[in-house]
Amino acid sequence: MCTMQGSDRPNRVLVTGLGVISPLGWDASANLGSLQEGRDSVSPVANFDVTKTRCQTAGQIPDDWLENGLPSGRVSERLHRGARMAALALREA
C-alpha cells in the first residue's frame, strides 16, 4: 500500500501486467529464466564504435529481437531503438 502526499488514507495499487525486454531475455519469462540460471548478458558492443572508449562491453539487446518483434512497415522501421524496446514491453504487459 502507498499513501498520497498529504493524505493518511492508503491508496491501493493493482498490477495487471508485466512487460520486460532486457539483455537477459526478450520477455518476462526469458528474463526470469536467465536470472535463475545466473546467465551473463555482457558482450562486446556491436552497435556503435567503441574503439576510443575505456569500456567496450555492455549488456545489449540484440537487433534481431527488435526487428522481428514488431510488424514491418514504414512506421515501425522509423522508430528509435528505445521506442521499439518500449513497444515490445508494452505489448507483453
Side-chain angles (χ1 to χ4, degrees):
M1 296 261 205
C2 65
T3 57
M4 290 184 61
Q5 189 174 7
S7 172
D8 293 332
R9 194 177 78 185
N11 295 311
R12 295 174 185 236
V13 176
L14 175 64
V15 177
T16 60
L18 171 72
V20 178
I21 183 167
S22 83
L24 292 172
W26 58 275
D27 64 2
S29 62
N31 272 275
L32 181 59
S34 293
L35 289 170
Q36 290 172 333
E37 295 171 13
R39 198 172 297 152
D40 183 11
S41 64
V42 176
S43 62
V45 174
N47 289 332
F48 52 88
D49 182 25
V50 292
T51 56
K52 296 180 181 181
T53 64
R54 186 180 330 165
C55 181
Q56 299 184 353
T57 59
Q60 313 171 83
I61 295 176
D63 288 333
D64 60 331
W65 291 1
L66 300 177
E67 292 168 5
N68 299 328
L70 296 173
S72 62
R74 285 183 10 188
V75 173
S76 63
E77 290 172 4
R78 290 186 296 196
L79 288 176
H80 185 273
R81 188 173 169 78
R84 288 176 186 235
M85 292 180 220
L88 290 171
L90 285 169
R91 185 175 66 182
E92 181 185 8

